[in-house]
Amino acid sequence: MGLYQDIKDKTELFDAIDKRLGTDKAQFIEKAYDVAYKMHDGQKRLSGEPYIIHPMNVASILDELGLDERAIAAGLLHDVVEDTEYSKEDMTREFGEDIADLVEGVTKISEIKSQSKETEAAENIRKMLLATIKDVRVMLIKLADKTHNVRTLKYQPVEKQKRIAKEVLSLYAPIAGRLGVYKVKFELEDLAFQSLHPEEYQEIKKRVAAKKSERDEYIEKIKIILKQRLAEINIDARIDGRAKHFYSIYRKMVTKEKSFSEIFDLRAVRIITNEIKDCYGVLGIVHTLWTPIPGRFKDYIATPKTNLYQSLHTTVFGPDGRPMEVQIRTKEMNAIAENGIAAHWAYKESANISKSNVVLQNGVENAFRTKWLEVLKSWQDPSLDSKEFLEELQYDLHEDEVFVFTPKGEIVEMPKGATVLDYAFRIHTDVGLHARGGKINGRMVTLRTELKSGDQVEIITEKSSKPSPIWLRIVKTSSARQKLRAYFRRLQEESQKETIASVLENAAPVIDENTLKEIKKVKIKKPASKTSLSKQQEPKEYGISVAGWTDVPVRIASCCTPIPGDEIVGFITRGRGVSVHKKDCTTALKQSEWMKTIPVRWEGPGEPIPVQIEVRAKDVQGIYLSMVESISTTETNILEAGASSHPNGTLTAKFMLEVEHLDQLKEILENLRMIQGVIFAERVKK
Ligand code: MN
């Protein structure tokens, strides 16, 4: 799928129109051109070009989409009512109501959008779409308008460029996808991407170009093998290499966290047949030539997507043993894949069929119309509120991302699974680092809450609030994780300096060279098998520093099992490293009377530590299960669990949990206490 032509003069446009629609219709369109030319005369685009270049390109895209002469005329006239003296009445008189309505519809969309900052964005998007539903050509003209506008985006002030690019990515590109107009969608996305992330765009472009000859060679090889096998069973098919568009490569890298090479090594071919039955014939050949990867076959011919997209998809291990994605479809299906809903008009105008036109087979046109009506109906369903509607709109095409709103109504794109905390870091690093909680659609939520499309998200910050190590488990985006890691690294460096400084300042060294040597002699044994962690006796990597040194073997005392966040104290033991207790542990208090203590400190995320908790509750049905569920929402491993009933109608449940930080334990206990029927939930003290 290439881009749409960039039209520079009138002849270019009218040659194409004349060829496709014939002289009469071309003359009608020319009348619209003359009016647009006259009305915009003297106006200039920011690029310095005469204004008429813009409506001409809009008309050209509509022509390539295969729309009728009235839509193309409306494309030429789409800005005259808004930007010149020419009125709707003038237009109705000269061109008829149909065209005047189309132009009015396009103008309305721009008006709705310009207000959307103040009012709620989701509602506006819906209104805008409802306004277009009477005639889908309105939306197609608007999309063509946007396409040419983003093509010339570089002439806008930077701030405006970014805003338009974001709007295109979050709204117009998904709508193009929803209408099945993938060619428009891809052009919109690549142009917006280029403007939002110019460096990443250039990098991807460079790499795609570098791989071109390798890719071409590969496709040639595939072509030869397939052509021969298909000829044997009399199937004629076109085989194309398929370069992914730049934005989809970028998104794969961001949302799936894949590297360049993983994505660029991906092979992709498309096979275009004449008839539906040949699609399945080709599939058979592909699957006998190369081993299919299980779970990757999809039959969108038998069950088309809601935007009417039809194709067979499969992934096989190609000749070089690497995965190869294969799409198989007929010429008609391919045209629908490029032009989507517009293919319908191409059909209506198919008196003289040429390159981009499609002859839909008998019955297909009806199916097309019915399907389309279904889509429209679902959009108009009054029981669907704005939020649901937005979800519905964006789920189909953005399965791996969600769109949420800032309190001001700006759209923020997040990968699926992202939490309120991820969002906080996306807004600003400082907002993330001082986040305390959030509000979704006005309701208080925890930082762990997963975002859904249409959510309006507000972050509550507090200056004194600091990140907890368990946040590393709450964030799902790599950018937030990186920011947190950087924070903890900084913290660690500072605290190390502090500890060493304090050790040096206290004239009497807390730990002498000989003692240190002795402690370090202890070898950290790796457990032979994965037995229950609570029973392991060997010192482990807990991320605890001893008097500023991080390479001293430590053991977590089993009497109190301190976890990161607890205040701790260390004792030097003979041949067993430094044993670490909670500061308020009774054993430790006794020991400190006759043993030397040594300062110890948590330095960062280490291995999780088993902690025992006890929950007392009313013995009602399902209560135990509620506890287990409540614990699992915090993604905590349960090592051991058990419960016993008491004659007084209560129950005591005990859990051994793998905990990484005191904050995590606090969260678990607080959650448990909120379950109805729970009397208390506490960490077990020995
Ligand atoms: Mn325009």
Side-chain angles (χ1 to χ4, degrees), residues 89 94 126 134 145 171 193 195 292-293 320 381 428 492 500:
E89 290 67 42
E94 279 190 70
R126 183 179 190 198
K134 286 173 226 138
D145 180 32
L171 189 61
F193 169 45
S195 139
I293 298 176
D320 57 358
D381 184 353
H428 195 275
Q492 193 175 337
I500 291 171

mmCIF file of all heavy atoms in Angstrom, residues 89 94 126 134 145 171 193 195 292-293 320 381 428 492 500:
data_model
loop_
_atom_site.group_PDB
_atom_site.id
_atom_site.type_symbol
_atom_site.label_atom_id
_atom_site.label_comp_id
_atom_site.label_asym_id
_atom_site.label_seq_id
_atom_site.Cartn_x
_atom_site.Cartn_y
_atom_site.Cartn_z
ATOM 1 N N GLU A 89 -26.296 28.654 0.964
ATOM 2 C CA GLU A 89 -27.387 28.877 0.009
ATOM 3 C C GLU A 89 -26.835 28.947 -1.421
ATOM 4 O O GLU A 89 -27.392 28.351 -2.339
ATOM 5 C CB GLU A 89 -28.153 30.168 0.329
ATOM 6 C CG GLU A 89 -28.999 30.112 1.594
ATOM 7 C CD GLU A 89 -28.173 30.002 2.877
ATOM 8 O OE1 GLU A 89 -27.140 30.702 2.994
ATOM 9 O OE2 GLU A 89 -28.549 29.188 3.747
ATOM 10 N N GLU A 94 -26.222 26.335 -6.692
ATOM 11 C CA GLU A 94 -25.362 25.976 -7.819
ATOM 12 C C GLU A 94 -25.065 24.480 -7.948
ATOM 13 O O GLU A 94 -24.866 23.976 -9.045
ATOM 14 C CB GLU A 94 -24.033 26.752 -7.741
ATOM 15 C CG GLU A 94 -24.148 28.174 -8.272
ATOM 16 C CD GLU A 94 -22.785 28.817 -8.400
ATOM 17 O OE1 GLU A 94 -22.010 28.398 -9.287
ATOM 18 O OE2 GLU A 94 -22.490 29.719 -7.597
ATOM 19 N N ARG A 126 -18.177 11.427 20.174
ATOM 20 C CA ARG A 126 -19.400 10.732 19.832
ATOM 21 C C ARG A 126 -20.320 11.600 18.984
ATOM 22 O O ARG A 126 -20.821 11.183 17.949
ATOM 23 C CB ARG A 126 -20.123 10.308 21.101
ATOM 24 C CG ARG A 126 -21.360 9.527 20.779
ATOM 25 C CD ARG A 126 -22.038 9.097 22.034
ATOM 26 N NE ARG A 126 -23.096 8.160 21.699
ATOM 27 C CZ ARG A 126 -24.077 7.882 22.531
ATOM 28 N NH1 ARG A 126 -24.132 8.443 23.692
ATOM 29 N NH2 ARG A 126 -25.001 7.031 22.171
ATOM 30 N N LYS A 134 -25.148 10.179 9.007
ATOM 31 C CA LYS A 134 -26.147 10.298 7.951
ATOM 32 C C LYS A 134 -25.509 10.003 6.607
ATOM 33 O O LYS A 134 -26.116 9.456 5.715
ATOM 34 C CB LYS A 134 -26.740 11.715 7.955
ATOM 35 C CG LYS A 134 -27.690 11.935 9.104
ATOM 36 C CD LYS A 134 -28.099 13.404 9.150
ATOM 37 C CE LYS A 134 -28.018 13.922 10.572
ATOM 38 N NZ LYS A 134 -27.452 15.253 10.668
ATOM 39 N N ASP A 145 -9.205 15.495 3.995
ATOM 40 C CA ASP A 145 -8.794 16.827 4.441
ATOM 41 C C ASP A 145 -7.634 16.707 5.436
ATOM 42 O O ASP A 145 -6.596 17.350 5.304
ATOM 43 C CB ASP A 145 -10.020 17.507 5.083
ATOM 44 C CG ASP A 145 -9.727 18.903 5.603
ATOM 45 O OD1 ASP A 145 -8.884 19.587 5.005
ATOM 46 O OD2 ASP A 145 -10.367 19.301 6.594
ATOM 47 N N LEU A 171 -7.620 9.878 17.131
ATOM 48 C CA LEU A 171 -8.997 9.976 16.669
ATOM 49 C C LEU A 171 -9.166 9.620 15.192
ATOM 50 O O LEU A 171 -9.858 8.666 14.851
ATOM 51 C CB LEU A 171 -9.508 11.391 16.945
ATOM 52 C CG LEU A 171 -10.987 11.597 16.714
ATOM 53 C CD1 LEU A 171 -11.787 10.683 17.624
ATOM 54 C CD2 LEU A 171 -11.363 13.043 16.994
ATOM 55 N N PHE A 193 3.259 10.392 13.127
ATOM 56 C CA PHE A 193 4.399 9.806 13.838
ATOM 57 C C PHE A 193 5.676 10.591 13.524
ATOM 58 O O PHE A 193 6.454 10.950 14.415
ATOM 59 C CB PHE A 193 4.535 8.343 13.416
ATOM 60 C CG PHE A 193 5.803 7.661 13.857
ATOM 61 C CD1 PHE A 193 6.274 7.802 15.150
ATOM 62 C CD2 PHE A 193 6.517 6.857 12.977
ATOM 63 C CE1 PHE A 193 7.443 7.163 15.554
ATOM 64 C CE2 PHE A 193 7.674 6.225 13.365
ATOM 65 C CZ PHE A 193 8.145 6.385 14.661
ATOM 66 N N SER A 195 5.953 13.617 12.763
ATOM 67 C CA SER A 195 5.970 14.920 13.385
ATOM 68 C C SER A 195 6.123 14.836 14.907
ATOM 69 O O SER A 195 6.763 15.666 15.525
ATOM 70 C CB SER A 195 4.709 15.678 12.965
ATOM 71 O OG SER A 195 4.161 16.377 14.024
ATOM 72 N N PRO A 292 3.287 -24.461 9.776
ATOM 73 C CA PRO A 292 2.541 -23.362 10.405
ATOM 74 C C PRO A 292 2.827 -23.263 11.896
ATOM 75 O O PRO A 292 3.045 -24.283 12.551
ATOM 76 C CB PRO A 292 1.080 -23.725 10.168
ATOM 77 C CG PRO A 292 1.060 -25.154 9.769
ATOM 78 C CD PRO A 292 2.435 -25.559 9.333
ATOM 79 N N ILE A 293 2.837 -22.060 12.426
ATOM 80 C CA ILE A 293 2.984 -21.856 13.868
ATOM 81 C C ILE A 293 1.591 -21.935 14.491
ATOM 82 O O ILE A 293 0.697 -21.195 14.099
ATOM 83 C CB ILE A 293 3.643 -20.493 14.169
ATOM 84 C CG1 ILE A 293 5.048 -20.467 13.558
ATOM 85 C CG2 ILE A 293 3.686 -20.213 15.669
ATOM 86 C CD1 ILE A 293 5.771 -19.142 13.690
ATOM 87 N N ASP A 320 13.965 -19.832 5.540
ATOM 88 C CA ASP A 320 15.177 -19.617 6.335
ATOM 89 C C ASP A 320 14.950 -19.990 7.799
ATOM 90 O O ASP A 320 15.786 -19.725 8.652
ATOM 91 C CB ASP A 320 15.633 -18.149 6.233
ATOM 92 C CG ASP A 320 14.534 -17.189 6.685
ATOM 93 O OD1 ASP A 320 13.419 -17.663 7.027
ATOM 94 O OD2 ASP A 320 14.781 -15.972 6.703
ATOM 95 N N ASP A 381 -26.417 3.543 19.080
ATOM 96 C CA ASP A 381 -27.138 2.950 20.191
ATOM 97 C C ASP A 381 -27.172 3.918 21.374
ATOM 98 O O ASP A 381 -26.140 4.243 21.953
ATOM 99 C CB ASP A 381 -26.429 1.649 20.579
ATOM 100 C CG ASP A 381 -27.169 0.897 21.663
ATOM 101 O OD1 ASP A 381 -28.146 1.459 22.198
ATOM 102 O OD2 ASP A 381 -26.789 -0.240 21.950
ATOM 103 N N HIS A 428 4.414 13.339 34.191
ATOM 104 C CA HIS A 428 5.699 13.969 34.525
ATOM 105 C C HIS A 428 6.416 13.094 35.549
ATOM 106 O O HIS A 428 5.773 12.529 36.431
ATOM 107 C CB HIS A 428 5.472 15.365 35.125
ATOM 108 C CG HIS A 428 6.721 16.193 35.148
ATOM 109 N ND1 HIS A 428 7.634 16.115 36.171
ATOM 110 C CD2 HIS A 428 7.228 17.065 34.251
ATOM 111 C CE1 HIS A 428 8.640 16.936 35.923
ATOM 112 N NE2 HIS A 428 8.419 17.522 34.756
ATOM 113 N N GLN A 492 20.289 4.834 46.536
ATOM 114 C CA GLN A 492 21.266 3.885 47.028
ATOM 115 C C GLN A 492 22.645 4.531 47.117
ATOM 116 O O GLN A 492 23.338 4.403 48.124
ATOM 117 C CB GLN A 492 21.311 2.695 46.077
ATOM 118 C CG GLN A 492 22.048 1.508 46.630
ATOM 119 C CD GLN A 492 21.939 0.327 45.684
ATOM 120 O OE1 GLN A 492 21.018 0.253 44.885
ATOM 121 N NE2 GLN A 492 22.888 -0.561 45.760
ATOM 122 N N ILE A 500 28.859 5.292 54.849
ATOM 123 C CA ILE A 500 30.315 5.285 54.933
ATOM 124 C C ILE A 500 30.801 6.517 55.687
ATOM 125 O O ILE A 500 31.652 6.424 56.564
ATOM 126 C CB ILE A 500 30.942 5.201 53.520
ATOM 127 C CG1 ILE A 500 30.651 3.812 52.946
ATOM 128 C CG2 ILE A 500 32.448 5.432 53.573
ATOM 129 C CD1 ILE A 500 30.997 3.639 51.502
#
